[in-house]
Amino acid sequence: MTPTEQPTITDTDDLCVATIRTLCMDAVQAAASGHPGTPMAMAPVIYTLWQEFLRFDPDDPAWPNRDRFVLSAGHASTLLYATLHLAGVRAVDPTYETLGGPAVTLDDIRRFRQLDGRCPGHPEYRWTSGVEATTGPLGTGVATAVGMAIAGRWLAARFNRPGFDVFDHDVYALCGDGDLMEGVAAEAASLAGHLGLANLCWIYDNNHISIEGGTDLAFTEDVATRFIAYGWNVTRVGDANDRTALGRAFETFRREPHRPTLVIVDSQIAFGAPTKQGTAAAHGEPLGEEEIRATKRFYNWPPDAHFLVPDGVYEHFAAGVGKRGRAERDSWLALLDRYREAYPDLASQLDLIWGGQLPDGWDADIPVFPADDKGLATRDSSGKVLNAVAARVPWLVGGSADLAPSTKTRLTVDGAGDFQAASPGGRNLHLGVREHASAAVANGLSLSGLRPLWSTFLIFSDFARGALRLSALMELPVIHVFTHDSIGVGEDGPTHQPIEQLASLRAVPGLLVIRPCDASEVVQAWRVVMGLRQEPAALVLSRQALPTLDRARYADAAGLARGGYVLVDPADGDPEVILIGTGSEVHLALAAHEELTAQGVRVRVVSLPSWELFERQPAQYRDQVLPPAVRARVVVEQAATLGWERYAGPDGVIIGMRTFGASAPLRALQTKFGFTPQAVVSAARQSLAAVSAVGDPA
């Protein structure tokens, strides 16, 4: 680097801010894609936070008591990438990164938004160390931060002891107008205010610009008053470039003992751009070479320099966040050593949490359910198993979108209690009628090491889809519990009867969907999901009672772990027809099996509770369960039929829902929509006839 390439900026802090700005501009321009305006405006904010306040060690960006920074305005990703690079954050996830190397190199920034690069268009958890969450759709990031703040308070309440503040970190989230327009942000802000999460700070980039133009086109509310009504502490910084005022705002947050804090920062999008500052044109497209040259002149920056990091910038970051963060981490590690000596049992639990492990004997108390023709709703048996597990896994915490009495997800073990502002050690979260925020909060809990579950009715999983999808994208072992799984809801009618939800859940890559048929399969389902470390699961459970099968007569429910298994076979000979079901419909298949067997038909019944687990099995196993030679098949499931063709085959019959449901008692609905043993028998005869008509393809 020659002296002529150096900016003419004398203040080192100003130099660092300008470096962040220009790296962001250059990255977006090189990619011919991205969002330059917000990073240019908010560079002083993120610089002040990271350099002076954030408790974060770049050499160990995953140490447990670090402060969390969540970029909810994920489109401004270059802002975070530039900061991670300049701060020298190291890569710590060997599955996705080169261990010990830089999390973000200058070449990574040059390759912004390129295939397999470390700097994707929106920050992705696991992919780049220092990224605390995949925020994705606007509003979801701040909601996830609420879960992180809840986890921080829970961990402190459970593990801190006098003189041992093992957990006292804060959670920061940077959001914009778009975040605060989204309903999930409103849900999460309301919950955070109710819970008094004083360890949570949202930084609001108030630039009055969205894609269509000025926010006054659609967003004219008084945000400050709204958050005050939520129970938040609200402070304002009138100019994003005023680092002194920013420092005061962050100090105000740190001193607030009872409320979350919203820092409203008034900014100019694309600050310094001569024709695009303060315009929608700077939001979602590159500035253009000439505009960038002019902007760099405004910054006293060499106009023809690209991806320039001036002398002294790396060193300044190292002397700021690097030195401070290392000292804070070292102090904490020394505290942890003393804590291990004073409280070895608690320290052992923390080691399990941080390692994503379960205690020895975690499943020792799981009940065994005897055969019972009356049986239990799978939501009821799930609740019993859940509490047996929770008694031995203290960091298993649960919440519901105001439906715990119906979803049977309340933890009733000794000392479980309720998480509230005055009792942050409670294990039952009351999330209110806020499905989207509930799922996002669960993600935040998981990102903090806890094992969370949340619940609602299956029909309402639609409300949570964005955060549910992100749990799969981030590979988080969140347990999504969905009950009232079919038209078995009955009189509540079609608005409450899920039809397409099962198919849509199965369509989410990386989401394990399990619909057990009885209490014994529920037990096995919980064994599977508790063993997951990098995969979310959706348990889909019935409202109505289902018989508990006699496993001396039928196959062991342990077959659930393979996704599908042969429940019963003909007494003699190979099967002529296969009946396949999930959940409550397995019992219809078994009843049809009895009738067909009495008629001399050789019948196999297959329980197929999880497509995802079944598809992971070797082809040999799958062909053993569903022999290709047996082409007469019937699939029965009280849901949309989409996707079942792969198992029914060309000659099979699928009994499912092709319309919405209706308001009526369950038995009337079953008759109307063809979910009866007689209908399954008729379908089996139809499939057998179709195979006979076609003949042997050989």
Side-chain angles (χ1 to χ4, degrees):
M1 183 182 298
T2 65
T4 57
E5 292 177 308
Q6 293 294 309
T8 57
I9 301 174
T10 57
D11 181 87
T12 307
D13 292 318
D14 288 342
L15 184 68
C16 291
V17 170
T19 303
I20 295 173
R21 283 172 162 152
T22 55
L23 286 176
C24 295
M25 294 159 54
D26 288 342
V28 172
Q29 189 66 32
S33 172
H35 302 74
T38 295
M40 294 164 66
M42 298 303 284
V45 179
I46 195 171
Y47 171 75
T48 302
L49 175 63
W50 279 65
Q51 185 72 343
E52 298 181 20
F53 292 92
L54 197 72
R55 182 191 309 179
F56 184 88
D57 181 5
D59 285 335
D60 187 2
W63 70 286
N65 199 38
R66 69 192 181 280
D67 288 347
R68 272 68 168 174
F69 173 77
V70 176
L71 185 64
S72 191
H75 57 277
S77 56
T78 54
L79 182 62
L80 181 55
Y81 298 144
T83 304
L84 296 177
H85 170 67
L86 297 175
V89 174
R90 314 307 291 179
V92 295
D93 193 332
T95 303
Y96 298 87
E97 302 175 295
T98 302
L99 187 64
V104 176
T105 67
L106 200 56
D107 281 341
D108 290 328
I109 296 176
R110 289 190 180 100
R111 297 186 62 247
F112 174 55
R113 290 190 165 215
Q114 303 309 301
L115 184 64
D116 296 329
R118 302 252 65 83
C119 298
H122 289 70
E124 296 183 23
Y125 175 69
R126 296 190 191 276
W127 191 247
T128 309
S129 288
V131 173
E132 299 285 3
T134 303
T135 50
L138 291 175
T140 313
V142 285
T144 304
V146 171
M148 292 177 173
I150 290 172
R153 293 205 65 202
W154 189 89
L155 289 163
R158 175 159 185 88
F159 291 103
N160 287 2
R161 294 295 184 268
F164 293 95
D165 287 338
V166 179
F167 295 100
D168 60 354
H169 58 270
D170 293 322
V171 181
Y172 299 86
L174 177 59
C175 59
D177 295 297
D179 288 280
L180 297 193
M181 293 184 205
E182 290 283 2
V184 64
E187 294 178 22
S190 175
L191 178 64
H194 166 74
L195 294 175
L197 299 178
N199 59 338
L200 177 66
C201 178
W202 288 6
I203 305 162
Y204 168 34
D205 173 20
N206 182 37
N207 63 34
H208 300 290
I209 294 294
S210 61
I211 290 176
E212 294 184 355
T215 54
D216 57 0
L217 289 169
F219 189 60
T220 53
E221 67 190 42
D222 185 338
V223 170
T225 300
R226 169 157 70 106
F227 274 74
I228 290 170
Y230 285 148
W232 286 56
N233 171 43
V234 178
T235 187
R236 193 174 206 117
V237 175
D239 180 359
N241 295 297
D242 188 341
R243 294 196 303 275
T244 300
L246 288 166
R248 285 197 300 266
F250 293 136
E251 288 289 1
T252 297
F253 157 62
R254 284 182 161 182
R255 291 195 300 268
E256 170 55 51
H258 303 300
R259 299 172 294 173
T261 293
L262 178 71
V263 179
I264 301 175
V265 180
D266 297 329
S267 72
Q268 289 286 319
I269 194 169
F271 174 77
T275 69
K276 295 188 177 182
Q277 175 179 312
T279 71
H283 174 78
E285 61 186 31
L287 296 179
E289 291 290 354
E290 289 307 313
E291 187 83 3
I292 287 177
R293 286 170 57 85
T295 306
K296 288 178 177 177
R297 290 191 187 97
F298 176 83
Y299 294 155
N300 293 315
W301 201 263
D304 294 317
H306 299 287
F307 299 99
L308 171 62
V309 179
D311 296 341
V313 170
Y314 293 127
E315 293 79 4
H316 192 64
F317 271 91
V321 61
K323 181 179 179 180
R324 190 189 69 255
R326 187 176 304 109
E328 289 170 333
R329 171 177 161 270
D330 288 347
S331 176
W332 181 83
L333 288 173
L335 175 71
L336 185 64
D337 286 341
R338 298 193 299 273
Y339 183 82
R340 289 187 186 282
E341 294 181 4
Y343 302 100
D345 291 342
L346 291 176
S348 294
Q349 288 187 29
L350 286 175
D351 288 334
L352 291 173
I353 290 174
W354 295 331
Q357 303 293 330
L358 295 170
D360 291 339
W362 68 270
D363 57 350
D365 298 328
I366 290 179
V368 175
F369 293 93
D372 182 354
D373 289 340
K374 182 179 179 182
L376 291 167
T378 51
R379 60 171 175 162
D380 288 316
S381 53
S382 175
K384 295 178 185 296
V385 177
L386 164 63
N387 272 281
V389 173
R392 289 180 173 263
V393 185
W395 52 94
L396 177 61
V397 298
S400 167
D402 195 50
L403 288 171
S406 292
T407 59
K408 309 301 180 184
T409 49
R410 180 168 178 78
L411 301 182
T412 58
V413 297
D414 288 346
D418 296 320
F419 187 103
Q420 295 289 345
S423 55
R427 295 171 64 186
N428 287 289
L429 297 172
H430 295 277
L431 300 167
V433 187
R434 305 181 179 103
E435 291 88 357
H436 196 171
S438 296
V441 163
N443 288 348
L445 296 170
S446 184
L447 287 163
S448 303
L450 305 185
R451 283 304 307 269
L453 66 102
W454 80 281
S455 66
T456 188
F457 294 168
L458 179 58
I459 190 69
F460 302 140
S461 65
D462 289 343
F463 286 115
R465 181 52 51 93
L468 189 155
R469 182 176 186 271
L470 287 178
S471 71
L473 190 58
M474 288 189 278
E475 302 177 355
L476 302 177
V478 174
I479 305 170
H480 307 273
V481 179
F482 300 126
T483 69
H484 296 57
D485 66 346
S486 70
I487 59 171
V489 174
E491 293 87 345
D492 278 339
T495 61
H496 282 55
Q497 293 167 4
I499 302 298
E500 71 278 17
Q501 282 68 32
L502 261 173
S504 65
L505 290 175
R506 288 169 177 152
V508 178
L511 176 66
L512 186 63
V513 182
I514 307 177
R515 188 174 183 237
C517 77
D518 73 345
S520 299
E521 281 197 354
V522 166
V523 167
Q524 300 304 320
W526 273 102
R527 290 186 184 278
V528 168
V529 301
M530 287 303 296
L532 300 175
R533 295 185 63 185
Q534 286 188 212
E535 185 176 16
L539 292 180
V540 181
L541 307 171
S542 73
R543 175 197 188 192
Q544 72 274 26
L546 303 179
T548 304
L549 298 178
D550 182 352
R551 295 295 169 164
R553 180 181 180 188
Y554 300 108
D556 194 315
L560 176 139
R562 305 191 78 169
Y565 63 106
V566 177
L567 199 57
V568 65
D569 248 343
D572 298 301
D574 294 330
E576 299 172 86
V577 62
I578 302 174
L579 309 181
I580 308 167
T582 75
S584 52
E585 289 73 71
V586 168
H587 302 278
L588 286 179
L590 289 171
H593 164 267
E594 298 295 328
E595 289 194 31
L596 287 164
T597 299
Q599 297 169 16
V601 180
R602 299 190 305 276
V603 184
R604 168 176 289 183
V605 177
V606 169
S607 176
L608 196 63
S610 175
W611 292 10
E612 297 79 21
L613 288 174
F614 189 65
E615 291 299 325
R616 293 174 195 173
Q617 306 309 310
Q620 181 182 9
Y621 175 79
R622 286 182 276 124
D623 287 347
Q624 287 174 354
V625 175
L626 300 174
V630 184
R631 291 155 40 216
R633 301 179 182 185
V634 178
V635 170
V636 55
E637 185 175 66
Q638 292 182 31
T641 62
L642 182 68
W644 274 113
E645 298 84 358
R646 75 181 72 178
Y647 300 120
D651 301 307
V653 178
I654 304 172
I655 301 174
M657 293 297 295
R658 292 172 172 81
T659 68
F660 292 111
S663 179
L666 173 59
R667 293 196 180 279
L669 292 170
Q670 290 173 326
T671 300
K672 174 180 175 62
F673 293 108
F675 295 104
T676 64
Q678 295 74 27
V680 179
V681 168
S682 177
R685 291 290 185 186
Q686 177 186 338
S687 185
L688 284 164
V691 171
S692 179
V694 172
D696 187 344

